[in-house]
Amino acid sequence: MIISVASGKGGTGKTLVATSLALSLAYEQKPVQLLDCDVEEPNAHIFFKAQPVSERTVSLPVPKVNYEKCQYCGKCAEVCQFNAIALMKRTLVIFPDVCHSCGGCWHLCPTGALEPAAREVGTVSVSQTADLRLVSGRLKLGTHISPPVVKAVRETAERDYITIIDGPPGSSCPVMAAVTDTDYCLLVTEPTPFGLNDLALAVDMLRVLKIPCGVVINRDMPGNQIIDRFCAENGINILLRIPFQTEIARAYAKGIPLVDSDKIWRDKFYNLYHQISGEVSQ
Amino acid sequence: MKVAISASGKTLDSEVNPRLGRCEYFIVYNMATGEQSVIENTGRFSQGSAGIATAKLLNDQQVDAVITGNVGPNAFSALAAAGIVMYTGATGKVSEMVEKFKLGQLTEAKFPNVGPHGR
Ligand code: SF4
Ligand code: SF4
């Protein structure tokens, strides 16, 4: 079973939910792994004091020009859909940052002046604590193409584990890469108009991908019905509410997982898992 | 020498558009002859990296210098490779920028002044 955790925006408590869910399973002796796919700002490792046991780099091919062979014909610049190559007065300029590694240019170059060269875009590290296997992806600084790093994290997952994916914030390409082919998506939201807006976008995305979903309301306040109304109208279950409490925020800020700061949450999250498996197996 | 100014309209009276890759037009002013012409910035229709597409356009038009508000890192490298001199921080009307240029009151940009995507 693969459960992804997503939210419209950052800072809504996605990591809090993902780490707590993973730990509640680990404490029940279930084989569980957590994949931190928030590659621009991975922070699940903060909650697990473990050294990485392995690390590898993720690279993408980008064109490299051999100026001795280049005839400045401009074919490569013409074929590139992304403006990653520009033939200017004095030289051929390549923008690795814009390149999508489609290979069009080096296949088309008539003189063989272009060759694919590896460009490092991120790293994937694996760490293991007594309870949990954690795989974290990290986008290299100054790099913007995160889906390949997210993919690499997912490829590093072991089969036969219950897998929890902490996705990137938003509802664009990296999020798609994180939630695609998961059995269920938990959407973490806050009971505010902004939270609702982001939630609605995320729900639309999941409908397109045909992934069942349920909602966790974080920083919930009694009497606030804004998310409840939306969920009722759209037939989405609210699976858990985490109240707005300073103790929770304080422990979280110190890097203490919710399930460790107050044991009552172990049962709640374990129960959350059972609700999800119930929905998935229906 | 041909100088292109990024503009929101088609005349010297138009406002400068501070966004290089997304400006609607370039007013091209020939310093030697005083002639002026307008080119539409087709680079702005690019899905991504409009700055690079715009730099290509200016290169094809054989422009020697460009006056605009912001230049990002990719557009900067492309324009520099073409030997196009950049003046950033432009505001007001196109004609005012032409006057300033003539008087030598603009300073050449040595670095991009915004991040990727114009932020
Ligand atoms: S297609 Fe090959 S030869 Fe032509 S400009 Fe590009 S690199 Fe040079
Ligand atoms: S590999 Fe594709 S995207 Fe990259 S520069 Fe070549 S043609 Fe453009």
Side-chain angles (χ1 to χ4, degrees):
Chain A
M1 163 107 89
I2 309 177
I3 302 168
S4 50
V5 182
S7 71
K9 284 259 154 55
T12 33
K14 200 170 37 60
T15 303
L16 171 102
V17 169
T19 52
S20 299
L21 182 58
L23 275 178
S24 72
L25 286 163
Y27 291 156
E28 294 292 331
Q29 314 297 322
K30 301 272 182 199
V32 59
Q33 60 188 346
L34 177 62
L35 311 184
D36 192 348
C37 288
D38 188 356
V39 300
E40 284 189 39
E41 233 173 299
N43 51 16
H45 62 275
I46 295 167
F47 298 92
F48 309 100
K49 320 264 165 311
Q51 291 300 315
V53 289
S54 77
E55 185 168 288
R56 68 182 177 98
T57 60
V58 184
S59 310
L60 287 177
V62 296
K64 195 170 169 250
V65 61
N66 178 341
Y67 286 105
E68 277 170 20
K69 287 191 190 165
C70 178
Q71 303 282 327
Y72 299 95
C73 67
K75 285 227 165 70
C76 54
E78 228 170 86
V79 74
C80 183
Q81 309 257 325
F82 306 99
N83 289 319
I85 307 184
L87 177 62
M88 302 306 250
K89 224 168 290 167
R90 306 184 181 182
T91 181
L92 190 74
V93 199
I94 296 175
F95 300 93
D97 215 35
V98 187
C99 172
H100 283 53
S101 302
C102 71
C105 55
W106 59 78
H107 284 117
L108 249 111
C109 171
T111 68
L114 287 182
E115 266 183 26
R119 169 180 183 242
E120 189 186 330
V121 290
T123 54
V124 174
S125 62
V126 179
S127 43
Q128 180 85 51
T129 67
D131 306 304
L132 191 83
R133 183 175 191 262
L134 172 70
V135 184
S136 298
R138 183 180 292 276
L139 195 65
K140 198 178 169 202
L141 226 72
T143 318
H144 307 286
I145 303 171
S146 49
V149 185
V150 173
K151 253 183 88 192
V153 173
R154 294 199 52 182
E155 283 163 4
T156 313
E158 297 271 7
R159 283 160 200 279
D160 309 324
Y161 272 66
I162 301 169
T163 302
I164 313 292
I165 297 180
D166 188 1
S171 41
S172 58
C173 311
V175 186
M176 296 266 218
V179 303
T180 302
D181 292 329
T182 62
D183 299 304
Y184 196 87
C185 183
L186 260 187
L187 291 167
V188 185
T189 188
E190 286 177 344
T192 64
F194 296 113
L196 177 62
N197 179 56
D198 297 335
L199 176 64
L201 290 173
V203 166
D204 284 347
M205 174 190 75
L206 293 170
R207 291 242 157 95
V208 173
L209 297 172
K210 298 199 171 63
I211 297 170
C213 66
V215 164
V216 174
I217 303 180
N218 189 24
R219 301 196 189 98
D220 194 24
M221 300 235 228
N224 194 330
Q225 298 292 306
I226 184 167
I227 301 294
D228 297 69
R229 242 175 278 132
F230 172 83
C231 288
E233 280 163 17
N234 289 275
I236 299 166
N237 287 336
I238 296 173
L239 304 178
L240 186 69
R241 296 168 196 268
I242 304 169
F244 187 83
Q245 275 174 5
T246 39
E247 303 88 78
I248 292 178
R250 206 171 289 144
Y252 186 75
K254 278 196 228 144
I256 301 169
L258 183 55
V259 288
D260 289 346
S261 63
D262 186 344
K263 307 261 183 309
I264 190 174
W265 289 102
R266 288 192 190 180
D267 291 340
K268 293 199 178 191
F269 274 95
Y270 194 54
N271 187 28
L272 172 68
Y273 170 73
H274 282 292
Q275 287 186 70
I276 293 171
S277 18
E279 278 199 41
V280 169
S281 59
Q282 260 174 27
Chain B
M1 178 174 201
K2 279 164 81 176
V3 184
I5 302 104
S6 60
S8 305
K10 296 183 179 183
T11 66
L12 281 177
D13 254 354
S14 310
E15 292 290 322
V16 168
N17 187 330
R19 308 201 320 158
L20 176 83
R22 297 282 173 206
C23 75
E24 292 84 356
Y25 302 100
F26 283 103
I27 313 295
V28 181
Y29 193 87
N30 190 321
M31 289 298 156
T33 63
E35 266 175 89
Q36 67 172 87
S37 58
V38 182
I39 43 179
E40 189 186 352
N41 179 20
T42 46
R44 76 182 195 277
F45 301 120
S46 282
Q47 288 243 326
S49 306
I52 301 172
T54 303
K56 280 188 201 171
L57 176 91
L58 293 172
N59 175 68
D60 295 344
Q61 297 285 331
Q62 300 180 355
V63 161
D64 302 289
V66 62
I67 302 174
T68 188
N70 304 320
V71 177
N74 286 340
F76 188 93
S77 316
L79 289 167
I84 297 174
V85 179
M86 292 158 262
Y87 300 93
T88 50
T91 51
K93 287 194 189 313
V94 172
S95 55
E96 293 166 28
M97 286 298 119
V98 172
E99 284 317 305
K100 280 199 164 174
F101 182 84
K102 282 185 187 162
L103 294 169
Q105 290 174 348
L106 298 178
T107 356
E108 195 180 324
K110 295 289 183 200
F111 303 99
N113 64 337
V114 286
H117 318 298
R119 272 174 289 181

